[in-house]
Amino acid sequence: MRAVVFPGQGAQGRGMGRELFDAHPELVEEASNVLGYSVRELCLDDPEGRLGRTEYTQPALYVVGALAYRRRREEGGAEPDFLAGHSLGEYCALHAGGAFDFATGLRLVQRRGALMAQARGGGMVAVVGTDQESLRALLEDGGFAGVTIANDNTPDQQVVSGDTGTVDALVPHLESRGVRCVRLNVSGAFHSPLMRQAQQDFARYMEGFTLRPPRIPVIANATARPYPADDPARLLIEQVVRPVRWTESVRYLLDQGVTEFVELGGRVVGRLIERIRAAPRPAPVSRSRSHSRSRSLSRTPATALGSALFRRRLGVRYAYLVGGMYRGITSPEMVVRLGRGGMLGFLGTGGLSLPEVERGVKAIQRDLGEGQPYGVNVLADHDDPRAERGLVELLMRHDVRVIEASAFTRISEALVLYRARGLRRGADGTPVCDHRVVAKVSRPEVARAFLAPAPEPVLDRLRRANELTDEQVELARQVPMSHDLTVEADSGGHTDGGVATAMMPAMQALRRQAQEEHGYAEPICLGLAGGLGTPSAVAAALMLGADYVLTGSINQCTVESAMSDVVKDILQDADIHDTAYAPAGDMFEMGAKVQVLRKGVFFPTRANKLFSLYSHHDGLEELPAKTRSLLERTYFHRSLDQVWDEVREYLRSQGRETDIAQAESHPKQKMALVFRWYFFHTTRIALEGDPHDKVNYQVHTGPALGAFNHWARDTEFASWRNRHVDRIGLRLLEDAADWIDSTYRRWQEPAA
């Protein structure tokens, strides 16, 4: 089998493409018209010395690569079995595979090159003669957690990206340890999360283009696997911030039976391929390397913390979960990073449309390897059960095996359908659960419901509708709704203000009762969430008997979080007391509370004011004129009538005409919907980082983040730009293990 490959930036040189331009004058002219300058002059003569600049290099390489492939085919070269390209070269591969025409590809490359050239504040270092595992160890030991291995070129050649200050310090650190490295002449930290702004701008640009599925398999840099048939644009957008997994890509092609590699447009990646082919395949190694400055050889490993049953059941290496935060703050990138690190994250789906959720799920499934853990959050929808049902059906279609059920006050039909559809009978006749529900609870009555089997009336209703089989109903009577119950103490987001030391013993008693009453074959595990921002807090949770821990607030102030950078900058400096309680927008009328940021914003005060007005008035018309004017001027920045128009249009788009009719005939209900708009709006502007309305930002967070900030001050996590979710999780667990070990040793010391 044969693969055609294309080089990326670094393959350029004066005179390149000389033999191609005369053979394809019409394409050369088209390229010059698109670019606004002579591509022939740039490549052959480069009179102004621009060929080495990113915004010119990338279009030039694309043109030469595309023309080289066309000449090969015109000269009778066989169509390859696979295509691949290194970074920029991936565009040549996609063009060759039929994903877009010549001019479209050139426009995309021109925009990409311009955006990457504008990147500032970052740099890259090439590291030679060191394998990736050894390099990671060197980075971790030196406290360089903020850098990304951006290019895995060969087993002994890597390129790392990071902010300028970190990269400046990295070179002498590596050189002092005898590692060969060289600072690259680039202005940005390419293929790293620091390119997120360029990625976002490129994504907006790509909205004007439609990409076709490649007709020849094209290996993606970001996944080292072929581009999927659906939504190839998304993976190309992600390439801007994702590492180039070239070694894995070549090894994938070798595993598929490729024996011949043909490089077009340069002589760079061919040499890399030969080095990859010649290098031995490494045996699997453990990645539980210590981040702590002081380690004991006899210390408890982080992999031993929590319940071994839980770790096996959820397919995780560590008993550590990350909760799903609203509107995708727990992003696909975050979930993938956790999964690769042996931890489980839940994609945040609250407030997202079904197409947005579907894209996120597909991205996770595409980027994680077989058996790497992930989950998806299912937030109770008290207003529209149909939407909740639609989400669950989507997750079942995509074979999502683990969900996090949060904000539920009762067991819904959608949850029962998900749980029961995943049941089958094992060889010994006992139930096998292919669908796992990790329930988040803060009240005993809700815990009891999840610790019990599915409600009989709901099972009967689903069976009569032929949505469950008789066997599924029978098996559902033998298992709890959730084998894994997360006890949520006072935290960011929805909270009942519970205290962990009071809640855990009570929930453990409920677990014993449920186990004895129903005689479940499979034990129930209890986790703890809320207030976990330091190793000592994690250790305390485990010593209370938690089988696993779940963190929340600390993760939205990380590189992988989808929260805006401006909010991350605020959160990074938040203290323990910089939070307040406010009404929950999705449960506004019920009086439910969330814990939110109060530092530098007016949202908590204004949200509580809205609930007070709702409690004391029966409709918008009853509001005093002065109060109404204040709301329109400072809260909503538009009239209340305009807000209602927007709400009505949204409800109509969701097929909720009945809700519109009820609201227009019940002023109190209309008031609630109008006030709810404020909660949606304030979340959106925080996520977008709207610089003009910071005082109205709604940011769910708890004191755990302030505690984390205190602990992180003297570590590599002081800046959120160095905070990666998997490294935070591992550091918390490893230091928690040390804390537990030292505590036990202290207890065992004889009294003086």
Side-chain angles (χ1 to χ4, degrees), residues 401-423:
R401 298 297 185 94
V402 184
I403 66 170
E404 176 189 44
S406 55
F408 283 85
T409 56
R410 60 176 182 81
I411 304 299
S412 69
E413 184 175 284
L415 281 183
V416 173
L417 179 65
Y418 177 84
R419 179 65 159 159
R421 279 271 184 91
L423 293 172

Side-chain angles (χ1 to χ4, degrees), residues 430-689:
T430 59
V432 175
C433 304
D434 291 328
H435 288 174
R436 295 287 177 184
V437 177
V438 180
K440 189 184 289 184
V441 300
S442 56
R443 299 183 182 183
E445 66 273 18
V446 180
R448 287 191 190 95
F450 277 103
L451 292 172
E456 281 292 336
V458 180
L459 288 173
D460 291 343
R461 191 159 60 245
L462 291 170
R463 180 65 192 97
R464 288 196 302 272
N466 291 320
E467 294 186 277
L468 294 177
T469 66
D470 289 336
E471 181 172 81
Q472 287 169 337
V473 169
E474 176 58 31
L475 292 174
R477 295 175 177 137
Q478 301 174 40
V479 297
M481 277 298 300
S482 173
H483 275 113
D484 305 294
L485 206 68
T486 307
V487 180
E488 187 174 27
D490 190 41
S491 64
H494 295 85
T495 180
D496 287 313
V499 178
T501 51
M503 294 176 66
M504 270 304 275
M507 294 296 186
Q508 288 164 341
L510 290 177
R511 172 176 61 178
R512 286 194 299 272
Q513 293 169 11
Q515 201 82 47
E516 292 170 2
E517 178 182 350
H518 300 287
Y520 298 132
E522 190 177 344
I524 294 166
C525 288
L526 288 183
L528 187 60
L532 303 183
T534 62
S536 56
V538 171
L542 295 166
M543 293 177 77
L544 273 173
D547 294 304
Y548 60 93
V549 293
L550 182 147
T551 59
S553 297
I554 62 174
N555 300 296
Q556 69 175 321
C557 191
T558 62
V559 174
E560 292 78 25
S561 162
M563 180 56 77
S564 64
D565 288 359
V566 66
V567 170
K568 293 179 190 179
D569 288 337
I570 298 172
L571 290 174
Q572 174 185 289
D573 298 322
D575 212 328
I576 296 169
H577 58 271
D578 288 331
T579 61
Y581 293 97
D586 59 339
M587 303 169 72
F588 180 77
E589 300 93 321
M590 302 179 192
K593 295 287 187 179
V594 292
Q595 198 163 185
V596 296
L597 180 74
R598 72 174 176 182
K599 180 180 181 179
V601 300
F602 294 158
F603 171 79
T605 302
R606 291 178 173 180
N608 281 301
K609 176 67 173 177
L610 289 177
F611 186 73
S612 176
L613 291 172
Y614 173 77
S615 301
H616 292 91
H617 298 279
D618 290 326
L620 297 173
E621 292 72 19
E622 289 190 10
L623 296 176
K626 186 176 180 180
T627 299
R628 184 177 183 122
S629 175
L630 176 69
L631 296 180
E632 293 177 337
R633 190 175 65 256
T634 62
Y635 289 40
F636 296 95
H637 299 301
R638 66 206 73 192
S639 72
L640 297 185
D641 290 337
Q642 288 174 317
V643 174
W644 172 242
D645 288 342
E646 290 186 32
V647 171
R648 185 169 48 200
E649 286 306 308
Y650 169 76
L651 293 174
R652 186 169 289 126
S653 72
Q654 301 299 304
R656 294 168 60 182
E657 298 286 349
T658 302
D659 290 345
I660 298 174
Q662 289 178 348
E664 290 182 332
S665 60
H666 295 83
K668 186 90 168 178
Q669 186 171 345
K670 180 179 178 180
M671 174 189 268
L673 290 172
V674 168
F675 285 0
R676 278 187 177 209
W677 178 95
Y678 176 73
F679 293 85
F680 168 81
H681 171 71
T682 51
T683 298
R684 180 176 57 79
I685 60 175
L687 281 163
E688 295 175 355

Side-chain angles (χ1 to χ4, degrees), residues 363-401:
I364 293 167
Q365 292 177 336
R366 180 182 63 236
D367 293 348
L368 282 180
E370 186 69 29
Q372 290 180 320
Y374 74 94
V376 177
N377 175 261
V378 175
L379 184 68
D381 196 322
H382 304 283
D383 297 322
D384 189 4
R386 293 175 305 169
E388 184 185 306
R389 174 68 176 260
L391 173 60
V392 164
E393 289 177 345
L394 183 152
L395 300 183
M396 291 192 295
R397 284 199 304 275
H398 288 283
D399 196 27
V400 173
R401 298 297 185 94

